[in-house]
Amino acid sequence: ESQAELLRLVSRRPGVSVRVAAAELGLVPNTASTLVSKLACAGLLERTTDPADRRVSRLRLTDSAQQVMDATAATRRAVLHD
């Protein structure tokens, strides 16, 4: 459940920091960091260092994760419009 919530958040807000994502999802930073690591290892998230502040990690969906999120959103819209 937390994984899907994090993916939805990053889909809506590409470049969100791990700290902000944790706060918005009500997760402690260590839990969010572990979750990000798992999703990155699974090829769903990319974590990059913010050039303005190297202590900050920014999150983006991988292309494959974005395709899944787009397809899921399209399916939800179709179901709601029927």
Side-chain angles (χ1 to χ4, degrees), residues 6 11-12 18 20-21 31 39 41 44-46 51 54 60-61 68 71-72 74-75 79-81:
L6 179 57
S11 177
R12 288 189 313 271
V18 175
V20 170
T31 300
L39 291 169
C41 285
L44 300 172
L45 278 183
E46 295 175 347
R54 300 196 53 78
R60 295 194 182 283
L61 296 181
V68 170
T72 301
T75 301
V79 168
L80 292 174
H81 288 357

Side-chain angles (χ1 to χ4, degrees), residues 1-74:
E1 183 67 30
S2 294
Q3 290 182 351
E5 289 177 19
L6 179 57
L7 290 172
R8 281 192 293 272
L9 174 64
V10 175
S11 177
R12 288 189 313 271
R13 297 189 41 210
V16 67
S17 71
V18 175
R19 182 184 57 79
V20 170
E24 290 194 19
L25 297 175
L27 301 172
V28 295
N30 286 346
T31 300
S33 184
T34 300
L35 191 57
V36 166
S37 292
K38 287 180 182 179
L39 291 169
C41 285
L44 300 172
L45 278 183
E46 295 175 347
R47 179 177 18 196
T48 58
T49 302
D50 187 322
D53 185 345
R54 300 196 53 78
R55 297 169 297 174
V56 176
S57 292
R58 300 284 176 187
L59 303 174
R60 295 194 182 283
L61 296 181
T62 61
D63 289 340
S64 59
Q66 187 62 59
Q67 290 172 0
V68 170
M69 295 301 288
D70 291 346
T72 301

